Amino acid sequence: MFHHSSKLQYQVRVDTPDPIFAKHLQQAIGGIEGEIRVAMQYFFQAMGARGDAKYRDMLMMTATEELSHIEFLGHAVALNLEGAPVSVQEKAAQDPVVNAILGGTNPRHILSSGLSAMPVNANGVPFDMSHVYATGNLGADMMANATAEAGGRVLASRLYNMTDDAGMKDMLSFLIARDTMHQQQWLAVIEELGGMEAQLPIPNSTPQEHEATEHSYYFLNTSLDEPTPEGRWTKGKSLDGRSEFSIKEKPEPQGQKPDLGKARPGTGTQVEQQK
């Protein structure tokens, strides 16, 4: 069961409406870095959570917060579209800000939504849920969530730099701050569960005899003309504490040359493929 307050989570103010920026803000709603994505990701992770109930509760509460972000971003889009005309005959069309919509900034903000936000990205492509990651594995989901929040914070920072509107900068500064917290909380779960060493490899429940461990910790240099880019991943203790990193230079293929043989009759191939 969910409850809704009529008040937004954070104040939204637009000093100078900007339909171009309204289009950019759509990415924060329906883009792969946006709020629809993380809200649905955390919801489905919560619904599939097993184990300590506090992690389900945390996921559900954060998913609900992300819905509030969709709401106030949607309001910001609408405020940035204020004053746009519905026909070229209106006097408002002579205003350069308003004319930007009529000039094709995002015609669907007039044609499809009546000067309001839509569940689409900045190119007008609807969010299709293909970037919602919910594996049922707590470690994998926390890593995916930290990555999602990192992408969201990058986007919010770019949007912040794209506007001079004080109201929009204030709203985006709030989103940047919440992205910071959410990054921290997902990584804090990893730490609470014993840190990277305890959680890696994911899933840590896979029996070691199921893994060809002789191949688990070497870096492959697959380049014909570049040296190995040495770093933390090429030497020293592995992050799970199980082994040492190493390098395999110019590795020899261990598999066979693929050959499927003759085609079967009835598969729609040419007769010559069946001989």
Side-chain angles (χ1 to χ4, degrees):
M1 179 182 234
F2 300 98
H3 300 273
H4 177 260
S5 169
S6 62
K7 295 183 179 180
L8 299 174
Q9 183 188 8
Y10 192 77
Q11 180 181 359
V12 177
R13 186 184 86 249
V14 175
D15 298 330
T16 305
D18 182 351
I20 296 175
F21 194 64
K23 180 178 181 181
H24 295 158
L25 280 176
Q26 284 288 162
Q27 192 68 17
I29 297 174
I32 61 172
E33 314 92 341
E35 303 294 346
I36 294 177
R37 181 267 180 96
V38 289
M40 291 299 100
Q41 182 157 307
Y42 305 158
F43 268 132
F44 279 87
Q45 288 178 4
M47 288 187 287
R50 290 178 171 83
D52 194 326
K54 70 178 182 179
Y55 298 121
R56 181 189 187 279
D57 293 341
M58 179 186 67
L59 282 160
M60 193 62 76
M61 291 173 186
T62 307
T64 308
E65 180 187 355
E66 302 295 7
L67 287 180
S68 73
H69 295 177
I70 298 170
E71 184 180 22
F72 71 65
L73 280 165
H75 190 54
V77 168
L79 290 180
N80 273 289
L81 295 170
E82 278 291 298
V86 294
S87 72
V88 294
Q89 283 77 28
E90 294 188 33
K91 287 185 178 181
Q94 299 170 19
D95 184 281
V97 173
V98 171
N99 191 54
I101 290 182
L102 297 180
T105 302
N106 189 345
R108 288 197 62 205
H109 276 152
I110 292 178
L111 300 174
S112 299
S113 68
L115 305 180
S116 58
M118 297 177 289
V120 301
N121 68 13
N123 291 324
V125 179
F127 186 73
D128 66 359
M129 303 294 178
S130 61
H131 287 276
V132 170
Y133 306 122
T135 67
N137 178 293
L138 190 59
D141 287 348
M142 293 303 106
M143 297 286 279
N145 293 351
T147 300
E149 293 290 345
R153 196 171 190 272
V154 169
L155 174 62
S157 297
R158 288 171 175 163
L159 287 167
Y160 186 96
N161 292 330
M162 292 176 74
T163 181
D164 292 324
D165 188 274
M168 287 292 88
K169 281 188 176 293
D170 181 63
M171 181 196 74
L172 289 164
S173 71
F174 175 79
L175 281 176
I176 291 168
R178 295 310 296 158
D179 286 339
T180 295
M181 174 55 196
H182 294 157
Q183 285 182 35
Q184 294 291 306
Q185 77 181 56
W186 305 133
L187 294 174
V189 174
I190 296 288
E191 181 179 284
E192 187 172 87
L193 295 172
M196 288 293 188
E197 188 164 320
Q199 288 301 295
L200 295 176
I202 296 171
N204 58 10
S205 57
T206 297
Q208 200 159 18
E209 61 267 23
H210 291 187
E211 180 177 351
T213 54
E214 66 271 23
H215 303 295
S216 297
Y217 299 98
Y218 58 72
F219 176 83
L220 281 180
N221 181 351
T222 57
S223 175
L224 293 175
D225 54 6
E226 291 290 340
T228 297
E230 294 191 37
R232 176 65 182 87
W233 59 90
T234 60
K235 58 187 175 184
K237 185 180 179 182
S238 61
L239 297 180
D240 58 16
R242 294 186 177 188
S243 187
E244 297 279 326
F245 289 126
S246 62
I247 300 169
K248 183 169 283 193
E249 302 277 5
K250 296 181 173 53
E252 291 294 327
Q254 296 180 330
Q256 74 275 29
K257 181 178 179 180
D259 183 359
L260 297 178
K262 304 300 182 183
R264 292 170 54 188
T267 57
T269 57
Q270 296 299 94
V271 171
E272 291 77 6
Q273 292 175 262
Q274 302 171 22
K275 295 179 179 178

